[in-house]
Amino acid sequence: MQLIDQAKVKSKMQTRLAKNNILKGVFLGATLFALVVLVILLYRIFTQGIGYLDLEFFQNFASRFPEKAGIKAAFFGSLWVMGVIAPVSLIIGVGTAIYLEEYAKKNRFTTFIQLNISNLAGVPSIVFGLLGLTVFVRMLEMGRSVLAGGLTMSLLILPIIVVAAQEAIRSVPNELREASFAMGATKWQTIRRVVLPASIPGILTGGILALSRAIGETAPLLMIGALTFVAYLPEDLLSGFTVMPIQIFNWTSRPQTEFHDVAAAGIIVLLAMLLIMNSIAVLIRNKFSKRL
C-alpha cells in the first residue's frame, strides 16, 4: 500500500518553488531599485558639486556669493564637535556596558535599565535636542557652544554605543573568563586583559557607526541654536560653531541655483568624511581580529 501520493507531493513542490521564485524576484527587484536610486542620487550630487570642489572651497568661510562660499567654518566646527562626542560617548557608553554585563546583578532593576536603554536608541533625535537645550544650554548656561552641542550629540548616540558594547562583551566566551580566574586574576584584570581585547572589534564597529550618525545629524543642533552662518573658527569649547549638515541645509534653503551646487559639494565632503571613518573602523577591526 502506497502511503505517499507522489502526484500530490509533486504538485505542492511545484507550488512552493513557484512562490519561492516570485518572492526571490520581488526581493531582487527591491534591491535593484534601491541601488538604482542610490546611483542616481550620487550621480546628481557629483555632477552638481564637483565643479566647486577646490582648495578655495576649504579655505573660504560662508558667503552671500556662491562663488566665494566655502565650508571652512563648518568643517572645523564638525571636527571640534566630534572631539567632544567621541571621548564622552565612548568612555561613558563602554563603561556602562561593562557594568551592566560584568558587575550588575540580573534583577528587575537592571532589566528595567536595559529596556530603557534599548528604547532610547529609537527615540527621535529632535527629542535629544530639546533635552540638550533645556539642560546644557539653559540650566548649565553653556550657551550655543561647541561643548553644549557635543554633549547633546553624545546623549543621542550613547544608547547605541551601550547596546553595541554589551553585545560585543556578551559574545566573549565564558571559558576565557574562567581560565583567567583560574590563573588567579581579579575581576578587573580579567575584564581589562581578556574581555575588552576580545570585544574591541565589536565595540569599535558600533562606536564608529554611532559617530557616523552623529556627524550627519542636524535636528538636535538646530534645537540648541547652532549658528547657520559662521565666518570664524571656534577658539575653545565655549565658542559658537556650525557643522557641515547645518551649513548644507542653509545652502539648500536658498533660492539661488548656484547655492544648491555648493551644497552638493558640501555633501561630497561629508560623504568622504563618513567613508574615511567607516574605513578606519574596518581597518581597526581587522587588525584586532587578527590578533585574537
Side-chain angles (χ1 to χ4, degrees), residues 209-250:
L209 291 176
L211 293 174
S212 300
R213 179 189 175 186
I215 201 174
E217 283 286 350
T218 307
L221 298 179
L222 288 175
M223 286 303 304
I224 68 170
L227 304 174
T228 57
F229 188 92
V230 176
Y232 57 86
L233 296 180
E235 297 180 355
D236 52 43
L237 293 178
L238 297 179
S239 299
F241 72 102
T242 190
V243 292
M244 287 190 288
I246 291 180
Q247 186 63 72
I248 293 169
F249 172 77
N250 177 260

Side-chain angles (χ1 to χ4, degrees), residues 20 150 171:
N20 179 72
S171 65

Side-chain angles (χ1 to χ4, degrees), residues 41-63:
L41 180 62
L42 291 176
Y43 173 78
R44 180 168 182 179
I45 289 173
F46 275 90
T47 53
Q48 285 184 311
I50 198 68
Y52 284 87
L53 277 179
D54 52 21
L55 189 59
E56 291 185 356
F57 183 71
F58 292 93
Q59 294 178 339
N60 294 344
F61 293 103
S63 173

Side-chain angles (χ1 to χ4, degrees), residues 22-36:
I22 292 173
L23 291 176
K24 181 180 178 180
V26 170
F27 297 147
L28 178 61
T31 304
L32 292 176
F33 176 77
L35 290 175
V36 169

